[in-house]
Amino acid sequence: MQGNLFSPADGGKSSSIRSADLNPPQYEAVTTMRGPVLVIAGAGSGKTRTLVYRVAHLLEQGVPPEEILLLTFTRKSAAEMLARGSELLDDSCRRVVGGTFHAVASGILRRYGHLLGYTPQFTILDRGDAEGIVNLLKSSLDLGGVGRSFPTKRAIINIFSQIINKRQSLDEIINQRYWHLSDYIEDIARIKRHYGQFKLEHNLMDYDDLLVNLRRLLFEFPEAAELIAGRFSYIMVDEYQDTNHIQAEIVSRLAASHQNVMAVGDDSQSIYSFRGADFRNIMDFPKIFPRTKLIRLEENYRSTQPILSLTNSIIDHAAEKYSKELFTSISGGEKPVLYAARNDADQASYVGRNISKLLDDGVPMTEIAVLFRSGFHSYKLELDLTSRQLPFEKRGGLKLTESAHIKDITAYLRVIYNPSDHLAWNRILLLLDKVGPKTALKILAALKVADPFGALAAYKAGKTWREGLRSLVQTLFALLDCATPLAQFDLAMQYYQPIFERIYHDDYPNRKPDLEQLREIIAGYDDLESFIEDAALDPPAAAGDRTGQGGQLVLSTVHSAKGLEWQVVFVISLVEGKFPSAMAKTTAELEEERRLLYVACTRAKERLYLVYPEMSASPGHFAEPAMVSRFLDELPAGLTLGAKREIRFAPHEAHTGAVVMPQTAKKIAATADNLLNRHVRHPFFGAGQIVKQINQNTVQIFFARHGQKTINLDYVKMEILP
């Protein structure tokens, strides 16, 4: 590659990568080789480019590709980075160890998992598999009939995962988040013990186990830890703000001997605490690695300056952050539009009208997105768009491998790969006609031997299902002799077809394209192990869930929109109780809601619309007066087109009692602490008590139903209660 040569900042060989290809902070991040580096990469600031160039730079400096570890949060992003690196340098980039935490953990555990009691053929459970095991255990432990209020399999798996990701005990999780299940805490503890034993006995790991068991190897087995950590002399972690505490500990242990670790992320985009992501990881990185060099990427290559000025203001009010000021060289741009709709219907109509106008003006439909905090916020909009005959796709839905019929067919392949996969055996047996759960359990007990296929062939079947069992045994032995995954799939499908049509008789033609899509996917694999692992770690989307590929506009929750961008973005339902969510009660939860809005707004490249209804309803409730989101309320004047309006009340909506008008409230707040500890009634949140006066026109109120809220007295009418 031709260009200006430069000497790396900390010594080493000359590089042929041009400094002109990078801005100064990117250049510094790319060429800093020694010691810990934290790159705070603002939205749209070219963090992927920085990581790609750093991989290429390390290789040019003579670092063997096998000694570089690139950890990402999707397999796709790792593959794309290394492919771009190959275009920049050469194919040595493809020998860099890159992938998700879970994929890297899986590879290591297949080599060293015997220290923990696993064979290399362990099966990775997806969420549905894990819930299926819990159901089996509930039955075997006689807990299925405890009562209608007994926790569901989904709730139990959530609790188990939170114990790991929140670093809390079962008692703490139940008392803080599932107090209504406190009567069942001993039963849940029993299921938890048996769940762990079941997985070990049947050579199974769930997603959490992959990380937990890798950490165990690194901290409990010094010789293995030395071999594992010794493989990598340079470590890079993308999206570090999304790591959980286990992932942070893994990174710390892997980098302990050399400290050559670069974490790239944006604290302002830490929005996945519900998955276990820990905001403290990125904030405390310099404490964990005391010699950390901090580099900020602040030049944005996505959005216009008016949009960035607004997003800068949103995050400026964050209680804790790495200070940064996004800027761009993109010229021009319109100010974001702020619109106060009369109600939810008017909000939907406003968005629908403007989308129609944008399309008439030539904006591609795929360059328009509507974002919201929760899925139900778009219901009225969906009706409006349908009435306008505007096609849209709503982000979400099942992954292909989560569908029941796909789980059926892959179960046959799973037992061929891992004969100890108890859950797959159970699914296969239940697909036999005339075989129910009790019979399946009896057969399963007989299969807990070294040769389960032989045991199944020798099992004495009942008269009504003898022929079905014989056909299954023949198919399984034939599958063992197949040479390729595709041949195995075709043979399994030949056996499964009549079962498929019998079980899904109402809609099997609609499900058939999924099986055809799965066949195409399997055809790309040379070995069964790779397919089963990929299907568990990074499952493909179903045919009807390929967002952004159908020529339609996108409706999406903000969480699902992270990492994407559109020319035009609408953010709707920006009122208290919806954005921020009414579930956000603590300071930390409210701060994450702020970051969520920051993520939403930074998806926009050219135009941004912020919309809120003055009257709004939740599912099953009538419309009530709504208060504009506190995050919009904090914005200084001049950043948007349009302005926040004072809530209007119809005569029948007025409350009796002493109504505090905005001007009166400001005078009271300015002269004395007369409002402190006073009881009030808010038009949306109901009864509450003022617990703190922040400034002349802002107070904090604790509401019994909604928790603590910060209220600006300029934009709401409240009555003071006796």
Side-chain angles (χ1 to χ4, degrees):
M1 200 171 166
Q2 299 300 313
N4 300 321
L5 299 180
F6 62 82
S7 296
D10 49 3
K13 299 178 182 179
S14 295
S15 171
S16 61
I17 294 174
R18 295 186 306 170
S19 58
D21 291 336
L22 304 163
N23 65 37
Q26 290 174 335
Y27 171 90
E28 183 181 10
V30 166
T31 58
T32 300
M33 291 183 60
R34 304 287 188 266
V37 182
L38 176 60
V39 179
I40 299 299
S45 63
K47 71 175 180 65
T48 300
R49 183 180 185 84
T50 302
L51 283 167
V52 169
Y53 271 75
R54 188 167 196 265
V55 169
H57 179 69
L58 289 173
L59 294 173
E60 281 202 326
Q61 298 306 300
V63 179
E66 296 82 5
E67 293 185 12
I68 301 173
L69 175 61
L70 174 62
L71 292 167
T72 62
F73 273 80
T74 67
R75 182 179 60 175
K76 181 180 177 182
S77 62
E80 287 178 351
M81 286 184 199
L82 297 180
R84 285 173 59 179
S86 297
E87 294 172 3
L88 186 66
L89 192 62
D90 56 43
D91 279 347
S92 63
C93 283
R94 297 187 184 277
R95 302 205 307 275
V96 168
V97 181
T100 65
F101 275 91
H102 292 86
V104 170
S106 175
I108 294 172
L109 288 166
R110 293 195 188 282
R111 183 169 182 180
Y112 296 99
H114 64 277
L115 297 172
L116 305 174
Y118 289 90
T119 75
Q121 289 76 36
F122 66 81
T123 298
I124 301 169
L125 303 170
D126 66 14
R127 177 60 181 255
D129 295 333
E131 291 178 358
I133 292 175
V134 167
N135 257 0
L136 285 174
L137 294 174
K138 284 169 65 176
S139 298
S140 65
L141 296 172
D142 294 325
L143 296 174
V146 170
R148 293 180 62 187
S149 60
F150 193 80
T152 64
K153 59 185 180 182
R154 175 176 180 149
I156 291 172
I157 288 297
N158 281 341
I159 290 169
F160 292 171
S161 186
Q162 288 186 35
I163 288 171
I164 293 169
N165 289 303
K166 299 287 186 181
R167 288 186 287 186
Q168 292 181 309
S169 67
L170 174 61
D171 285 2
E172 289 172 327
I173 294 294
I174 294 292
N175 291 332
Q176 293 178 17
R177 297 178 175 84
Y178 297 89
W179 53 267
H180 57 293
L181 301 178
S182 57
D183 289 346
Y184 302 108
I185 194 166
E186 292 184 5
D187 293 327
I188 296 172
R190 282 182 66 202
I191 293 174
K192 184 175 182 296
R193 288 194 300 272
H194 285 270
Y195 179 63
Q197 293 168 2
F198 185 98
K199 288 184 293 182
L200 186 59
E201 289 173 4
H202 297 94
N203 211 28
L204 306 170
M205 292 192 203
D206 60 28
Y207 290 148
D208 289 329
D209 291 329
L210 292 172
L211 300 182
V212 169
N213 287 333
L214 175 55
R215 180 178 61 179
R216 286 185 60 196
L217 284 177
L218 293 173
F219 285 88
E220 297 177 18
F221 297 86
E223 292 183 6
E226 186 176 349
L227 291 171
I228 295 167
R231 288 185 57 189
F232 307 113
S233 56
Y234 287 89
I235 299 170
M236 286 173 282
V237 188
D238 189 20
E239 303 285 11
Y240 195 76
Q241 77 282 348
D242 294 335
T243 55
N244 62 28
H245 73 99
I246 300 177
Q247 290 165 329
E249 289 175 347
I250 289 170
V251 171
S252 176
R253 184 68 182 86
L254 290 174
S257 62
H258 51 70
Q259 303 276 293
N260 294 329
V261 55
M262 173 181 281
V264 181
D266 184 4
D267 55 298
S268 299
Q269 297 187 68
S270 178
I271 60 172
Y272 292 116
S273 65
F274 68 95
R275 294 181 185 169
D278 192 341
F279 177 70
R280 297 260 36 105
N281 286 349
I282 194 165
M283 300 309 297
D284 293 343
F285 187 88
K287 297 178 183 177
I288 298 170
F289 298 97
R291 297 185 297 109
T292 293
K293 174 186 281 190
L294 181 62
I295 301 172
R296 292 176 173 85
L297 304 185
E298 298 174 291
E299 183 171 0
N300 179 283
Y301 296 93
R302 174 190 299 155
S303 307
T304 61
Q305 191 58 52
I307 292 174
L308 296 180
S309 296
L310 181 137
T311 58
N312 285 336
S313 180
I314 289 172
I315 212 65
D316 276 348
H317 291 84
E320 186 177 7
K321 61 185 179 299
Y322 288 104
S323 298
K324 57 183 175 296
E325 189 78 11
L326 295 183
F327 67 93
T328 184
S329 59
I330 300 173
S331 60
E334 300 176 2
K335 288 183 179 181
V337 175
L338 178 62
Y339 180 74
R342 292 187 302 278
N343 50 37
D344 293 321
D346 183 38
Q347 173 178 253
S349 178
Y350 172 80
V351 174
R353 289 196 311 271
N354 277 275
I355 289 176
S356 295
K357 185 176 184 302
L358 289 164
L359 295 173
D360 290 341
D361 291 342
V363 177
M365 189 171 286
T366 53
E367 284 292 337
I368 303 173
V370 183
L371 308 182
F372 31 84
R373 176 62 180 85
S374 299
F376 71 88
H377 294 169
S378 68
Y379 288 168
K380 276 192 167 55
L381 176 60
E382 293 171 39
L383 296 174
D384 185 272
L385 295 175
T386 301
S387 70
R388 297 175 192 274
Q389 296 185 324
L390 293 176
F392 62 87
E393 49 187 332
K394 192 170 182 180
R395 286 193 63 85
L398 288 176
K399 295 292 186 183
L400 180 67
T401 48
E402 293 173 348
S403 304
H405 51 295
I406 299 298
K407 281 184 171 292
D408 291 346
I409 191 67
T410 54
Y412 300 103
L413 305 181
R414 282 172 50 171
V415 296
I416 297 301
Y417 172 68
N418 176 12
S420 299
D421 191 337
H422 188 91
L423 196 66
W425 275 117
N426 185 64
R427 191 174 196 98
I428 288 170
L429 295 172
L430 289 175
L431 291 173
L432 290 172
D433 196 17
K434 309 301 182 183
V435 171
K438 290 184 178 179
T439 301
L441 285 174
K442 291 178 182 177
I443 302 173
L444 286 170
L447 301 186
K448 292 182 178 181
V449 293
D451 178 17
F453 300 104
L456 186 66
Y459 193 85
K460 188 175 182 180
K463 182 178 180 180
T464 58
W465 49 278
R466 185 177 300 145
E467 184 60 28
L469 181 63
R470 185 187 65 79
S471 179
L472 171 62
V473 169
Q474 287 179 344
T475 300
L476 291 175
F477 276 106
L479 286 172
L480 288 169
D481 292 333
C482 287
T484 67
L486 181 59
Q488 289 173 317
F489 175 84
D490 286 341
L491 180 59
M493 194 64 222
Q494 183 180 343
Y495 166 80
Y496 175 65
Q497 184 68 37
I499 298 173
F500 172 61
E501 294 179 8
R502 168 173 56 85
I503 293 178
Y504 304 105
H505 58 89
D506 288 339
D507 67 342
Y508 75 84
N510 295 328
R511 294 172 181 259
K512 188 176 180 181
D514 291 342
L515 293 166
E516 294 169 350
Q517 183 185 353
L518 182 64
R519 186 182 188 278
E520 293 178 15
I521 293 170
I522 289 179
Y525 285 87
D526 295 326
D527 62 274
L528 193 58
E529 176 182 349
S530 298
F531 164 72
I532 289 175
E533 178 143 329
D534 285 351
L537 291 173
D538 195 7
D545 187 33
R546 300 176 186 174
T547 303
Q549 298 181 8
Q552 301 171 321
L553 64 94
V554 172
L555 310 186
S556 176
T557 62
V558 182
H559 285 104
S560 296
K562 186 174 179 291
L564 303 176
E565 58 185 45
W566 295 269
Q567 283 184 29
V568 184
V569 170
F570 294 81
V571 187
I572 64 172
S573 296
L574 286 163
V575 294
E576 292 289 309
K578 288 189 175 179
F579 208 149
S581 167
M583 300 299 291
K585 296 179 173 60
T586 67
T587 298
E589 290 166 343
L590 287 168
E591 285 297 292
E592 182 158 325
E593 295 289 305
R594 176 191 304 283
R595 298 192 293 270
L596 199 59
L597 180 58
Y598 173 85
V599 167
C601 294
T602 52
R603 302 308 95 197
K605 295 189 286 187
E606 298 176 9
R607 300 185 193 180
L608 174 64
Y609 294 80
L610 305 172
V611 190
Y612 69 95
E614 295 175 332
M615 297 285 294
S616 188
S618 298
H621 295 81
F622 293 109
E624 296 179 308
M627 187 173 69
V628 64
S629 169
R630 69 191 67 192
F631 307 132
L632 296 185
D633 192 47
E634 295 167 346
L635 295 176
L639 290 181
T640 62
L641 297 173
K644 300 180 291 291
R645 296 205 302 264
E646 182 180 327
I647 297 174
R648 297 188 297 269
F649 291 87
H652 68 277
E653 294 163 351
H655 295 282
T656 59
V659 177
V660 179
M661 300 300 291
Q663 297 84 352
T664 306
K666 287 181 69 173
K667 288 180 181 178
I668 294 174
T671 55
D673 289 337
N674 293 348
L675 294 180
L676 195 62
N677 297 322
R678 295 296 300 271
H679 292 272
V680 297
R681 178 173 286 114
H682 186 279
F684 179 77
F685 298 124
Q689 184 178 17
I690 297 175
V691 295
K692 184 178 180 181
Q693 187 165 322
I694 297 175
N695 56 37
Q696 182 176 344
N697 63 340
T698 307
V699 295
Q700 284 186 349
I701 304 176
F702 179 80
F703 297 99
R705 290 186 300 166
H706 297 278
Q708 191 161 298
K709 303 293 181 184
T710 300
I711 304 295
N712 188 302
L713 299 173
D714 284 337
Y715 299 107
V716 66
K717 299 175 182 179
M718 293 185 299
E719 58 178 304
I720 297 180
L721 302 176

